[in-house]
Amino acid sequence: MKKYIAIASLSLILSVYGCTKLDQEFYSSVTPDTFFKSEKDIKAALFRPFTHAKWYIGEDRWRLQEYTADNFAVTTKGRHWYNGGENERYHYHKWTADDNWIWGSWRGTLMGVALALDTKNDLSKLDYTKFALTAERQAADLAQLDALIAFFYLRGLDFFGGMPIFESLEQESLPRNTDQELFDHIEKLLKAAIENLPVKKAGDKEEGAIRKAVPAAMLAQLYFNAESYIGKPMFEESRKLAQDIVNNVYGPYQLDTKWNGVHGFKNDASPEMIWSMPSEFKMLEYNWFYADFYHYNTRQFFNQDMGGNNGAHLTPSLKPTGSSYITDFELGSPFEKFDDGDLRKKSYVYEGTDQYTGMFIVGPHKTPEGDVIVGGEEYKDKPLSFVDQVGRFSEVGPGKKYSSINELPSKMSEGEENTGIRLVKVPIPNLANNTLRWGADMPVIRLSEIYFILAESNYRLGDKQQAADLFNAVRKRNFVNDVDPNPVTVANIDMYRILDEWSIEFIGEGRRRSDLIRWKAFTTEKWWDHSPSISAHLNRFPVPNQAIAGNSNLTQNPGY
């Protein structure tokens, strides 16, 4: 059976970068009835596109969502991280159709569609009864693939707008479909998947398979952001779906009672997890972020053997002088948006036997034994202390570039090795418990997101009290004895409070750009070292020039 993988005609070049990286194999000289010998073979084929999805959710897709928004930055740190101005281009909304993150995301989206279509083509031709499997099982397997295709297209719609809709591997060089056509295609796939998937059973661990609640949640996401995608608000539709999920119409889910239950080493057992990507030490590791976030010497902080590249950090809440940016900008200042009593705001400490506290690296950097960790650049052989500020503090003093802190500029080009607070959303054990490393699965959809979709949909439809109650139902677990010092109320709920709640709960989960766009804030608001980019065309990324070079039927997005 010849596999056309027609998406290669769009310059996906499946045999080069992506396939090598993802250990891609195409069985181009076999047919399904000769290759599939057991249920194990079916599972191997079924979950191959999920491996691509696990890669797809992180790295460049994450960067497009977070480094273009108000919560994260990669500042230039002396001789490090200028990267030809790449990080500044994204922060200042000056990306181009030649930028690699954009090309990788266009290509990765359609590659995911191709892999899922390929598997669907094979499994649809099998006689499942030969493997002692039912027709219902086959329908469920195919429905998982429909949901996965919808997942890739949903992300593609968010990034680029309309994309070519492939329903067969034999199609070549298709033009882009309209935003509405892609929206309708995603909706159709998800509704069909809901019909054919089983529900989660009480007590089941979340191990990556797609069950009925997953396409229901993705359909809620589609409707929730419909105004951004097709210019039509659909908050009534997102509210109904989200309410049904909360009411367990699509399976038994409930909010985790612990703030880190859905992120910890055993999060596959969290009742809140609707869909996750499995991760395990030396198997499908959820680890790509480590090098980006952590200092070269942070291995001593974790008591680990992994070095970092010391790039990414939270955008600053404080000016070099120590005064707050909160009075200057409604957006940004992510660390200070956490209440001081929030259990997550503590510095990360691994407590052994899969227990930990805190979610940030902030302040003096020390080993678990309390020994001082020193720097290797601006603070070579001096104690490291991570600050919620951006500025070249090492250049202040007698005979130096700046005579006082008051003169320090704070912008993307002015970082140092200790610049910015570092997020530890995924817990890291010490070497003594190294079998736990990367044991936390990657959350893709969790029930708290559905609560937030329901809350914001209620707000948009005029029910402020219900919106506040839903936000607070999630917030309370982050405080001792569930006592929230700053709950959402009818009096304080507005666009900015809602955006703050999304930021606090989902910080670092690769969604911030989309939330800002939904509120029409992505191109109109200012935040640290970012002026409004004004033009709404920047709500979409350009179609990469490499894609257009490989398919002349593709048209560019307006404004590029």
Side-chain angles (χ1 to χ4, degrees), residues 259-260 343-349 356-360 424:
W259 72 266
N260 58 358
L343 296 169
R344 296 167 294 185
K345 199 175 184 180
K346 298 179 180 179
S347 185
Y348 176 82
V349 175
Y356 68 98
T357 59
M359 203 169 71
F360 297 99
V424 191

Side-chain angles (χ1 to χ4, degrees), residues 279-291:
S279 178
E280 190 175 348
F281 189 37
K282 298 184 179 180
M283 292 179 63
L284 289 176
E285 294 179 346
Y286 173 26
N287 63 1
W288 66 268
F289 57 87
Y290 186 97

Side-chain angles (χ1 to χ4, degrees), residues 30 43 66 76 119 129 137 143 203 261 282 291 346 350 368 399 403 450 458 476 481 498 508 536 553 558:
V30 299
K43 288 182 177 179
E66 299 289 3
T76 301
T119 303
T129 63
R137 165 67 183 276
K282 298 184 179 180
K346 298 179 180 179
Y350 177 67
S403 59
I450 306 305
N458 273 305
K476 65 181 182 179
N481 298 324
I498 291 173
N553 290 322

Side-chain angles (χ1 to χ4, degrees), residues 250-472:
Y250 297 100
Y253 300 92
Q254 61 187 29
L255 292 175
D256 205 303
T257 58
K258 298 189 299 182
W259 72 266
N260 58 358
V262 79
H263 301 293
F265 296 101
K266 298 179 180 179
N267 62 347
D268 59 337
S270 172
E272 183 174 320
M273 195 78 84
I274 294 176
W275 187 30
S276 67
M277 294 296 171
S279 178
E280 190 175 348
F281 189 37
K282 298 184 179 180
M283 292 179 63
L284 289 176
E285 294 179 346
Y286 173 26
N287 63 1
W288 66 268
F289 57 87
Y290 186 97
D292 284 4
F293 271 107
Y294 303 134
H295 189 277
Y296 332 111
N297 294 334
T298 295
R299 61 164 70 91
Q300 300 170 47
F301 173 82
F302 289 127
N303 190 14
Q304 268 291 351
D305 58 3
M306 302 175 288
N309 298 325
N310 198 31
H313 52 81
L314 273 63
T315 53
S317 302
L318 303 176
K319 302 174 185 178
T321 58
S323 59
S324 175
Y325 281 118
I326 288 179
T327 57
D328 296 350
F329 313 123
E330 295 282 1
L331 300 180
S333 300
F335 187 68
E336 284 304 304
K337 295 290 175 66
F338 285 80
D339 288 283
D340 287 343
D342 195 314
L343 296 169
R344 296 167 294 185
K345 199 175 184 180
K346 298 179 180 179
S347 185
Y348 176 82
V349 175
Y350 177 67
E351 297 182 328
T353 60
D354 72 42
Q355 299 300 308
Y356 68 98
T357 59
M359 203 169 71
F360 297 99
I361 296 175
V362 56
H365 215 30
K366 296 183 179 181
T367 69
E369 295 75 28
D371 296 328
V372 170
I373 300 172
V374 300
E377 297 288 332
E378 292 89 354
Y379 298 96
K380 183 175 175 58
D381 299 328
K382 297 179 181 178
L384 270 179
S385 182
F386 289 97
V387 296
D388 195 10
Q389 297 161 293
V390 174
R392 300 283 295 172
F393 292 91
S394 62
E395 296 181 353
V396 176
K400 296 186 178 180
K401 186 174 182 179
Y402 303 103
S403 59
S404 75
I405 289 175
N406 293 328
E407 299 175 6
L408 279 181
S410 184
K411 55 185 180 179
M412 287 289 290
S413 61
E414 300 299 310
E416 297 183 313
E417 64 177 313
N418 68 332
T419 289
I421 292 172
R422 313 304 167 93
L423 178 67
V424 191
K425 198 77 181 249
V426 182
I428 308 293
N430 57 27
L431 280 172
N433 297 143
N434 217 28
T435 55
L436 291 173
R437 194 159 105 188
W438 315 127
D441 292 349
M442 179 193 297
V444 184
I445 303 173
R446 49 193 182 96
L447 187 62
S448 50
E449 179 186 357
I450 306 305
Y451 267 71
F452 274 37
I453 288 174
L454 182 56
E456 186 179 319
S457 296
N458 273 305
Y459 175 85
R460 302 265 194 168
L461 296 168
D463 193 341
K464 293 184 178 181
Q465 185 62 61
Q466 184 66 11
D469 290 345
L470 287 159
F471 282 124
N472 291 332

